[in-house]
């Protein structure tokens, strides 16, 4: 009888040892799995945060491009004088100021700034005190108005290209 109780006590001790070892092994596997999962979640969070910060940097140029586009649309097919270009001039200066600091958008913003300057250079002269306009003056103003409309179209294309680049950067 002594032998069977001793065997039973040894068997129970061995079973407890095996159960403890299996439990420790399962806990280790779960801990490793949890650690890997959290590592992936944190990496994903860093990527999302980085993308959000990059998108926030693109918000101001995108807003300014929209403002330029709206302003030049208001002036479409309308001969304009220098005073009519105030909004476009101001926004163009803001874009010039940040163009060098936005690496991915630098070429597009520089192109927009150049097109703004070209458009502003086409302003019609202020009317003089003479009530009558001679035929050569009228012809010169008509040619200038046509140049102005062509420059406006070039500006619109440059703005659209920059907006497309911003959209690609946000999704990419």
């Amino acid at each position: 009888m002594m032998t069977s109780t001793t065997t039973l006590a040894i068997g129970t001790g061995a079973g407890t040892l095996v159960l403890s070892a299996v439990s420790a092994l399962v806990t280790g596997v779960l801990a490793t799995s949890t650690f890997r999962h959290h590592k992936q979640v944190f990496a994903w969070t860093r990527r999302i945060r980085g993308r959000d910060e990059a998108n926030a940097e693109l918000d101001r140029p995108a807003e300014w491009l929209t403002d330029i586009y709206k302003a030049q649309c208001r002036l479409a097919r309308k001969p304009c004088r220098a005073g009519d270009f105030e909004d476009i001039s101001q926004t163009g200066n803001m874009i010039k100021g940040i163009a060098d600091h936005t690496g991915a958008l630098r070429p597009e913003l520089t192109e927009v700034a150049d097109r703004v300057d070209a458009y502003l250079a086409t302003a019609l002269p202020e009317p003089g005190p003479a009530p009558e306009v001679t035929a050569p003056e009228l012809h010169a103003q008509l040619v200038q108005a046509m140049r102005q409309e062509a420059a406006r179209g070039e500006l619109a294309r440059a703005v659209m290209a920059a907006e497309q680049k911003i959209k690609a950067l946000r999704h990419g």
Side-chain angles (χ1 to χ4, degrees), residues 8-143:
L8 184 62
I10 293 174
T12 304
T16 303
L17 184 61
V18 169
L19 183 62
S20 295
V22 168
S23 175
L25 184 62
V26 167
T27 302
V29 167
L30 287 175
T32 302
S33 174
T34 302
F35 174 73
R36 285 184 178 179
H37 174 71
H38 286 298
K39 191 175 174 182
Q40 290 173 348
V41 168
F42 290 138
W44 176 78
T45 303
R46 275 191 301 262
R47 281 193 313 270
I48 295 298
R49 186 176 297 134
R51 188 178 299 153
D52 288 346
E53 288 171 1
N55 284 344
E57 291 176 9
L58 297 174
D59 285 344
R60 283 189 325 178
E63 181 182 334
W64 293 341
L65 289 170
T66 301
D67 291 345
I68 283 182
Y69 189 77
K70 286 179 183 177
Q72 65 86 28
C73 282
R74 279 193 304 272
L75 301 175
R77 293 184 231 125
K78 174 186 168 192
C80 300
R81 308 209 184 280
D84 298 328
F85 293 133
E86 288 178 21
D87 293 341
I88 292 176
S89 176
Q90 180 183 8
T91 309
N93 288 334
M94 290 188 297
I95 287 176
K96 276 182 205 173
I98 64 162
D100 291 337
H101 305 290
T102 55
L105 277 178
R106 181 177 298 140
E108 287 79 10
L109 292 180
T110 302
E111 178 69 19
V112 169
D114 292 344
R115 294 299 174 189
V116 165
D117 288 342
Y119 186 44
L120 296 177
T122 63
L124 294 175
E126 294 297 326
E132 294 181 19
V133 178
T134 65
E137 289 174 346
L138 182 62
H139 178 63
Q141 286 183 4
L142 206 57
V143 168

